[in-house]
Amino acid sequence: MSRTLIAGGTLVSATGATPTDVLVDGEQVAALLVPGGGDAFAVDRRIDATGLYVLPGGVDVHTHMEMPFGGTESSDTFETGTRAAAWGGTTTIVDFAVQRTGEVVEESLARWHAKAEGNCAVDYGFHMVLGGVDEDSLEAMDSLVAHEGVTSFKLFMAYPGVFYSDDGQILRAMQRAGDNGATVMMHAENGTAIDVLVQQALARGDVDPVFHGLTRPEAMEAEAVNRAVLLAEVAGGTPLYVVHVSASRALARIAEARASGANVFAETCPQYLYLTLEEHLGAGGPGSFEGAKYACSTPLRSGRESHAADLWRGLRTDDLAVVSTDHCPFCFKDQKELGRGDFSRIPNGMGGVEHRLDLVHQGVADGKLSLQRWVETCSTTPARMFGMYPRKGTIAPGSDADVVLYDPRGTTRISATTHHMNIDYSAFEGFELTGAVRTVMSRGRVVVDAGQYTGSPGHGRFVRRGLSQYLR
Ligand code: DUC
Ligand code: ZN
Ligand code: ZN
């Protein structure tokens, strides 16, 4: 067993920042020591963390590697996507295994295991998308929770004919989750109403990417969030986690449910904190297809309204508990281009798994978020929310030695020419951010250091998750 001492750094956790030395033994954290306290131990390697933050590895609980969607497949494989995650200081992902209508849930899960096993650079778990709620899939929920370490299920109120569940199906899945302890994750947009708006826009000849956002208005997200909150209440208080929240009114409904004491939780993603409908989805103006790079659902919101400021506030108040990426990359060439002349055919999604820690740290640099809250929303809470704590999400004796050394005075310049994701553009091209990942350790192994990747496919292991540890 090899021993490493990380000395001279400032340990940043969800509760504070303290000068601390960290002793790693094999794959786990062995001890936290006062500065200099590690000098008494014989170690194989000493990492100098002077001037650096030492934080628990990032936990991104919303990614889609090699996912068939929108007539194509997301462009990062488990190998390329988890390597990019490692570059950005994310040491655990939770990806979505997908059951489509008519498929057997256990077989779908097995397919996703086959894609990931032996290929991941960092540890990974799975949520299960239920594309067809029926007696068999309800039974499968019990079995995945009890035996497979899959304890969260995503349902869609959007995409009729693809992943869509109606209210009765949602209620039944929530009731089942209420019984077996699982968390229901919700894509909250009113898909049947949106489809009407989409058809009307196309009939008018409004085909540019910006109409992707204009046909998915804030009200459609807020309405669906409201319905999901009330269905979870009717189901007896099943834990509900709303994914990719982008709009002020959706957030307000979540805040209201939380103020009433409900087990309602939510995430947002960096794209909603930084990018807007006008500047990005509408890039290039009428006739331009540039905005296709920014087509994701829920969509980017208007920069003339207060969405981004409200989302930052939600992160401060815990109405938004988590920042994930919804990493679902499609190359511009040949993939996004499927939607030229018809925005409804643009594959929905953006790549971002590599830059979440930096983009949220910029909020710390700008005074929008505390240092502790950065670690809490990007690592500790996602680990607790999805049953991985304290193995993940903290640096404590016995936890996995997933550690990031972060230079708060460094600079990260985002560009498709330098990023490691398998995507031919960056939604954050040209961003210059305060802070930089210097060293990344995954279960005791240094996988990124001083601009070099030292990991390997297959190092990452499947994480069997327990029930949520974040319930109230
Ligand atoms: N929802 C997601 O969560 N990811 C990709 C596309 C979508 O609609
Ligand atoms: Zn979604
Ligand atoms: Zn997603």
Side-chain angles (χ1 to χ4, degrees):
M1 278 286 190
S2 114
R3 267 184 169 180
T4 303
L5 181 70
I6 302 169
T10 298
L11 183 66
V12 183
S13 73
T15 54
T18 323
T20 306
D21 289 355
V22 179
L23 183 66
V24 172
D25 199 349
E27 296 196 347
Q28 295 184 325
V29 175
L32 304 187
L33 305 155
V34 293
D39 297 346
F41 293 86
V43 295
D44 305 285
R45 175 174 191 169
R46 192 177 190 282
I47 298 177
D48 182 7
T50 304
L52 303 179
Y53 294 151
V54 180
L55 44 124
V59 178
D60 189 344
V61 292
H62 191 154
T63 68
H64 304 275
M65 307 303 175
E66 47 193 293
M67 180 179 76
F69 190 52
T72 181
E73 186 162 297
S74 57
S75 58
D76 263 316
T77 61
F78 279 90
E79 181 176 344
T80 62
T82 57
R83 188 167 61 219
W87 272 103
T90 286
T91 50
T92 307
I93 64 163
V94 186
D95 203 270
F96 288 83
V98 178
Q99 177 240 7
R100 283 178 300 206
T101 317
E103 292 177 351
V104 176
V105 171
E106 289 88 343
E107 289 175 8
S108 306
L109 178 61
R111 268 206 311 283
W112 255 261
H113 272 296
K115 293 183 198 218
E117 200 179 334
N119 293 318
C120 291
V122 296
D123 289 352
Y124 62 97
F126 290 127
H127 311 287
M128 192 81 218
V129 167
L130 293 183
V133 176
D134 57 18
E135 251 344 290
D136 290 341
S137 55
L138 289 170
E139 261 177 47
M141 286 174 78
D142 292 349
S143 142
L144 264 55
V145 170
H147 307 299
E148 304 294 337
V150 174
T151 56
S152 39
F153 298 86
K154 184 178 178 191
L155 302 174
F156 286 79
M157 300 169 106
Y159 303 124
V162 187
F163 294 134
Y164 177 80
S165 291
D166 66 28
D167 291 349
Q169 290 173 310
I170 290 169
L171 181 61
R172 293 182 79 199
M174 285 177 165
Q175 288 171 332
R176 197 70 172 222
D179 290 340
N180 63 33
T183 295
V184 168
M185 307 173 77
M186 191 62 75
H187 179 125
E189 286 188 298
N190 185 326
T192 54
I194 284 170
D195 274 8
V196 171
L197 298 178
V198 168
Q199 291 318 317
Q200 291 171 344
L202 293 174
R204 284 195 307 270
D206 290 337
V207 297
D208 289 349
V210 74
F211 291 99
H212 169 77
L214 296 174
T215 55
R216 309 181 89 89
E218 174 183 28
M220 296 289 88
E221 184 180 351
E223 185 280 328
V225 166
N226 179 55
R227 199 158 21 105
V229 164
L230 294 175
L231 287 168
E233 180 187 312
V234 170
T238 297
L240 170 68
Y241 179 94
V242 184
V243 296
H244 48 54
V245 172
S246 66
S248 301
R249 281 162 72 190
L251 174 60
R253 186 62 186 94
I254 288 159
E256 184 189 326
R258 290 178 54 72
S260 79
N263 271 317
V264 171
F265 309 98
E267 66 176 21
T268 191
C269 313
Q271 51 270 35
Y272 307 118
L273 297 169
Y274 287 101
L275 310 180
T276 66
L277 181 139
E278 294 84 2
E279 190 183 343
H280 298 95
L281 202 49
S288 169
F289 191 62
E290 185 67 12
K293 294 175 176 175
Y294 308 95
C296 58
S297 297
T298 54
L300 301 183
R301 299 297 177 188
S302 173
R304 300 190 190 112
E305 297 163 352
S306 63
H307 303 286
D310 289 341
L311 296 175
W312 281 111
R313 178 175 41 77
L315 287 171
R316 288 194 293 279
T317 61
D318 203 37
D319 287 327
L320 294 168
V322 168
V323 181
S324 70
T325 56
D326 195 4
H327 178 77
C328 191
F330 297 102
C331 288
F332 188 71
K333 189 170 163 27
D334 295 341
Q335 293 196 297
K336 290 288 185 180
E337 282 177 338
L338 292 169
R340 263 193 204 282
D342 178 351
F343 69 85
S344 72
R345 295 183 184 276
I346 303 170
N348 283 201
M350 255 184 228
V353 75
E354 187 169 346
H355 297 300
R356 183 179 58 122
L357 287 188
D358 294 317
L359 287 161
V360 182
H361 181 264
Q362 185 61 45
V364 177
D366 293 342
K368 292 176 174 161
L369 206 64
S370 71
L371 195 55
Q372 293 92 309
R373 202 62 194 136
W374 172 50
V375 171
E376 193 168 28
T377 56
C378 290
S379 177
T380 310
T381 298
R384 291 178 64 196
M385 187 74 72
F386 292 105
M388 295 180 279
Y389 187 88
R391 183 171 162 200
K392 305 295 186 188
T394 184
I395 298 179
S399 59
D400 282 355
D402 295 344
V403 181
V404 174
L405 304 194
Y406 197 82
D407 182 354
R409 280 169 291 275
T411 301
T412 298
R413 293 181 185 82
I414 300 182
S415 172
T417 60
T418 50
H419 73 199
H420 303 88
M421 300 175 285
N422 184 37
I423 177 169
D424 60 2
Y425 73 96
S426 172
F428 302 97
E429 184 71 37
F431 275 45
E432 196 162 299
L433 304 169
T434 302
V437 170
R438 295 289 183 229
T439 304
V440 181
M441 185 180 268
S442 163
R443 290 196 339 271
R445 171 172 172 183
V446 172
V447 293
V448 172
D449 189 36
Q452 296 293 319
Y453 176 70
T454 55
S456 59
H459 167 77
R461 288 199 203 124
F462 177 64
V463 180
R464 300 177 75 86
R465 297 182 294 112
L467 301 181
S468 176
Q469 300 151 312
Y470 207 69
L471 305 187
R472 321 194 279 173

